[in-house]
Amino acid sequence: MRSIQETIELRYTHAVHFTRGVFAAGNLLLRDSLQGGPGPAKVLFVVDRGLAQANPALAGAIAGYCQAHEACLQLVRAPLVVPGGEPVKNSILYTRMVQEAISDFGICRHSYVVAVGGGAVLDMVGYAAATSHRGVRLVRLPSTVLAQNDSGVGVKNGINAFGKKNFLGTFAPPHAVINDLDLLSTLSDRDWRGGTAEAVKVALIKDPAFFEELERNALALSHRNPAAMEQLIYRCAQLHVRHIARHGDPFESGSSRPLDFGHWAAHKLEQLSGFALRHGEAVAIGMALDSAYSCLTGRLPQKDWDRIATLLEKLGFDLYTPELEREELLAGLTEFQEHLGGEMSITLLDGIGKGVQVHEMDHVTVGEAIGELRRWSQNRAVFRRTL
Amino acid sequence: MRSIQETIELRYTHAVHFTRGVFAAGNLLLRDSLQGGPGPAKVLFVVDRGLAQANPALAGAIAGYCQAHEACLQLVRAPLVVPGGEPVKNSILYTRMVQEAISDFGICRHSYVVAVGGGAVLDMVGYAAATSHRGVRLVRLPSTVLAQNDSGVGVKNGINAFGKKNFLGTFAPPHAVINDLDLLSTLSDRDWRGGTAEAVKVALIKDPAFFEELERNALALSHRNPAAMEQLIYRCAQLHVRHIARHGDPFESGSSRPLDFGHWAAHKLEQLSGFALRHGEAVAIGMALDSAYSCLTGRLPQKDWDRIATLLEKLGFDLYTPELEREELLAGLTEFQEHLGGEMSITLLDGIGKGVQVHEMDHVTVGEAIGELRRWSQNRAVFRRTL
């Protein structure tokens, strides 16, 4: 029996740029990120409806920018506007709509799709772009904290199918990511605050100094201080991107998902709440749960658990939600593992900045951790009432 | 303005194994290609209906094989049977059916989908597997000459959409490819013969010694000599896989497509004939056209053109089809370029084994090349009548 064996190597440059006023004619970052061949590059914009409604001037600004740089950019049509949030991932129709526009307007592997919006819109548009012509170039302009510091700077895309989150999707490094702080100005307080959860996550598993920085800046962050947020997003995105590039498994072919600390419960809580809980809010509770569990199993010192709970509260998060008491919660452990497959792998904490992989969780102790969150939350309620 | 920049590197082992009797219990190749974690690996088979009908014992053989190796393999259900040929790529429904089976039977990134069939089935199943859970493992068992020596050993998958061939798809190296010569035994003469076209192609653009070997073996090949075919498939697959791995652009992010010699016309002829022309037959005509063009423009010596036309005829190909005269043919040039995008790039020949990239074709000369094919074909018809 004969065999042919070859090694195929691929190399991507993954770049995340930070700017303000990305559509100001004098800001050349976007233009320079859309380099084409000899003629102008064809560009299709897809915009999150929430953002478009909050910024009625956005479509005009995009058209004006392309006009100002018409030697380099050819806007193929007015921006396609799609709903934001989870609904855009629940139907294949929006993906189809973007793919059809790519077909109709002759977007090729040397043209660009620019997605402007929150994480769900970036996920859906990324999936449509990655599967058209086997991958046309995607530039992401995330418009939420969560998308700028986490999902939007990663290499995944996807939509929901067969009742499963992100069942359909691919790994596909974007051509570029541009984080414009100004795009966050119309965010609700709830979404502003929610976005800080992934920063706490990456600090907890990787970087105690970043955790201390978050403790120092917690009040500024909860009061929408832009400079504090800019720094948080930069550091969180940097740790995230470095992890992808430097930890040997960018497309997650193994069983380990250290970046998903707190996420097994978070995904399930989002679903059990009918998505009334936002992703960041659910991640905060999921991290609190796994931190309390780490403490109860003797991994995490009590004083570290107190610091974690205190920081999350200062940032404005609840640590408890009634969905924690639902029996179905523990199914989240199995579902979390099924997506990636292989051995069950959950991240816990041996300390602040010290993530550790374990391969099982004790259901009784999970119940005790939930009790700890309930008590903590009741004490805070009493504390607030006595203020 | 700050930036984060990292390099993401990926490395795939791309392996094509050759065997006979892949489902014989004593043949451990398939079992060893489906290595899982600690327990047995879950496996979902998807089989080409044409093959299943020609081999009524196939489903039983697959079940028997998994039974014999139950410590390693867990067959999740009876093989899913899907239509073969282009129709399976024309509707999203078959892709959906495979994705749904992946969901229903808990196929994860450490489980396997095994696709058994012709190139169209492998393309469709590959797309479904690559987009489920962001990519579950795919093992291909190609059952046609064309799939064993060309499409099945590559890194592409895809289906047709919006009236465009392979509009939806991804680049995704398979986990393994197993070429079983016995799977070819039920092929029609037409498909057996048709599969040799891609071998002529790769010889013409890369390897004059392989071209001479094909000349020597032409009659044996057209008379279904299995040893000659095995050698053809091995060498063709080897040249194809080496090109992908060693030429610096495995996922075709540039503009050049040297492996697509003869394919601009072939794709269009298949479509204009309503797919009455098979892919190999259309590629033979497409190569004849671009070879004649290379000769008429002074690149290819006349004696080389004669050798090419003679070899294609000996292998049983027609060099002419009335669809060549259709006005729409030249639109194939634009459509060919649009898929990849970037600069127009067509492969011509400077000699046998010497492919060369050009960036335009003269329409008048294309017409003259078609005239040459017409005359050649008429002369052969006269010659055959006088026999």
Side-chain angles (χ1 to χ4, degrees), chain B residues 67-324:
Chain B
Q67 188 70 39
H69 300 290
E70 62 181 350
C72 305
L73 304 180
Q74 182 197 341
L75 185 65
V76 297
R77 53 155 288 163
L80 204 60
V81 177
V82 296
E86 210 62 17
V88 83
K89 295 174 65 174
N90 280 334
S91 159
I92 190 79
L93 290 183
Y94 297 108
T95 307
R96 235 18 222 178
M97 187 190 295
V98 176
Q99 289 167 334
E100 190 158 23
I102 290 170
S103 168
D104 287 351
F105 295 96
I107 299 293
C108 69
R109 278 185 221 155
H110 296 252
S111 310
Y112 294 87
V113 175
V114 180
V116 194
V121 168
L122 302 184
D123 272 0
M124 181 280 286
V125 178
Y127 180 53
T131 50
S132 296
H133 292 304
R134 300 195 183 100
V136 299
R137 295 177 185 173
L138 174 74
V139 172
R140 297 194 194 122
L141 271 67
S143 68
T144 65
V145 175
L146 217 50
Q148 289 199 356
N149 70 12
D150 189 77
S151 64
V153 302
V155 293
K156 302 181 192 181
N157 58 55
I159 60 172
N160 309 325
F162 311 116
K164 293 176 186 169
K165 195 167 159 75
N166 296 325
F167 181 82
L168 295 179
T170 72
F171 289 97
H175 186 79
V177 181
I178 298 179
N179 277 342
D180 179 352
L181 196 74
D182 292 344
L183 287 179
L184 307 181
S185 61
T186 56
L187 270 190
S188 69
D189 284 349
R190 192 176 169 191
D191 285 331
W192 171 279
R193 203 191 302 131
T196 61
E198 300 284 359
V200 176
K201 176 200 74 181
V202 79
L204 279 175
I205 56 179
K206 288 186 172 284
D207 190 342
F210 185 37
F211 190 86
E212 286 163 27
E213 186 182 312
L214 293 172
E215 288 180 312
R216 281 196 303 276
N217 292 340
L219 284 177
L221 286 164
S222 70
H223 287 85
R224 295 192 75 136
N225 178 309
M229 185 56 96
E230 192 169 24
Q231 179 52 25
L232 172 147
I233 291 171
Y234 181 82
R235 184 68 182 143
C236 182
Q238 187 182 48
L239 287 165
H240 192 101
V241 169
R242 280 189 185 164
H243 177 87
I244 294 169
R246 300 183 186 182
H247 281 73
D249 191 15
F251 285 6
E252 297 180 1
S253 57
S255 302
S256 159
R257 301 165 69 175
L259 284 182
D260 280 344
F261 175 57
H263 278 59
W264 72 267
H267 286 313
K268 197 69 197 176
L269 291 171
E270 280 181 85
Q271 186 198 326
L272 290 173
S273 75
F275 294 93
L277 276 177
R278 309 272 171 99
H279 183 64
E281 295 165 346
V283 168
I285 297 170
M287 289 192 294
L289 178 64
D290 288 349
S291 300
Y293 182 97
S294 299
C295 182
L296 287 168
T297 50
R299 297 183 167 279
L300 182 75
Q302 172 75 39
K303 69 170 178 14
D304 285 353
W305 157 237
D306 290 341
R307 281 174 69 193
I308 295 167
T310 303
L311 174 61
L312 289 172
E313 287 216 317
K314 273 195 190 158
L315 290 170
F317 292 109
D318 288 326
L319 305 192
Y320 178 80
T321 180
E323 285 82 9
L324 281 167

Side-chain angles (χ1 to χ4, degrees), chain A residues 55-326:
Chain A
N55 299 268
L58 186 64
I62 290 172
Y65 189 84
C66 293
Q67 187 70 39
H69 300 289
E70 62 180 349
C72 306
L73 304 180
Q74 182 198 341
L75 185 64
V76 297
R77 54 155 286 163
L80 205 58
V81 178
V82 296
E86 210 61 18
V88 83
K89 295 176 66 175
N90 280 334
S91 158
I92 190 78
L93 291 182
Y94 297 108
T95 306
R96 248 352 237 182
M97 187 191 295
V98 176
Q99 289 168 334
E100 189 157 25
I102 289 171
S103 170
D104 288 351
F105 294 97
I107 299 293
C108 69
R109 279 186 220 156
H110 297 251
S111 308
Y112 294 86
V113 174
V114 180
V116 193
V121 168
L122 302 184
D123 272 359
M124 181 281 287
V125 177
Y127 181 54
T131 50
S132 296
H133 294 303
R134 300 195 183 98
V136 300
R137 295 178 184 171
L138 174 74
V139 173
R140 297 195 195 121
L141 269 69
S143 68
T144 65
V145 175
L146 217 50
Q148 290 198 357
N149 70 10
D150 188 77
S151 64
V153 302
V155 293
K156 303 181 192 182
N157 58 55
I159 60 171
N160 309 327
F162 311 116
K164 294 177 183 166
K165 195 166 159 78
N166 296 325
F167 181 83
L168 295 179
T170 72
F171 289 97
H175 186 79
V177 181
I178 299 178
N179 276 343
D180 179 351
L181 195 75
D182 291 345
L183 287 179
L184 307 181
S185 61
T186 57
L187 270 190
S188 69
D189 283 350
R190 190 175 170 191
D191 285 331
W192 171 279
R193 202 190 304 131
T196 61
E198 299 284 359
V200 176
K201 175 199 73 178
V202 80
L204 279 176
I205 56 179
K206 287 185 173 287
D207 191 342
F210 185 36
F211 190 86
E212 286 164 25
E213 187 182 312
L214 293 171
E215 289 181 312
R216 279 194 304 277
N217 291 341
L219 283 178
L221 286 164
S222 71
H223 286 86
R224 295 193 75 136
N225 178 310
M229 185 56 97
E230 192 168 25
Q231 179 53 24
L232 172 147
I233 291 172
Y234 181 82
R235 184 66 183 146
C236 182
Q238 187 182 48
L239 287 166
H240 192 102
V241 168
R242 280 188 185 164
H243 178 86
I244 294 169
R246 300 182 186 182
H247 281 73
D249 190 17
F251 285 6
E252 296 180 2
S253 57
S255 303
S256 156
R257 303 165 68 175
L259 284 181
D260 280 344
F261 175 57
H263 278 58
W264 72 267
H267 287 313
K268 197 69 198 176
L269 291 170
E270 279 181 86
Q271 188 198 324
L272 290 174
S273 76
F275 294 93
L277 276 177
R278 309 273 170 100
H279 183 65
E281 295 165 347
V283 167
I285 297 170
M287 290 191 295
L289 178 63
D290 288 348
S291 300
Y293 181 97
S294 299
C295 183
L296 287 168
T297 51
R299 298 184 166 279
L300 183 74
Q302 172 77 37
K303 69 170 179 12
D304 285 354
W305 157 237
D306 290 341
R307 282 175 69 193
I308 295 167
T310 304
L311 174 60
L312 289 172
E313 288 216 316
K314 271 196 191 157
L315 290 169
F317 291 109
D318 288 325
L319 305 194
Y320 177 80
T321 180
E323 285 82 10
L324 281 168
E325 315 281 353
R326 298 266 292 273

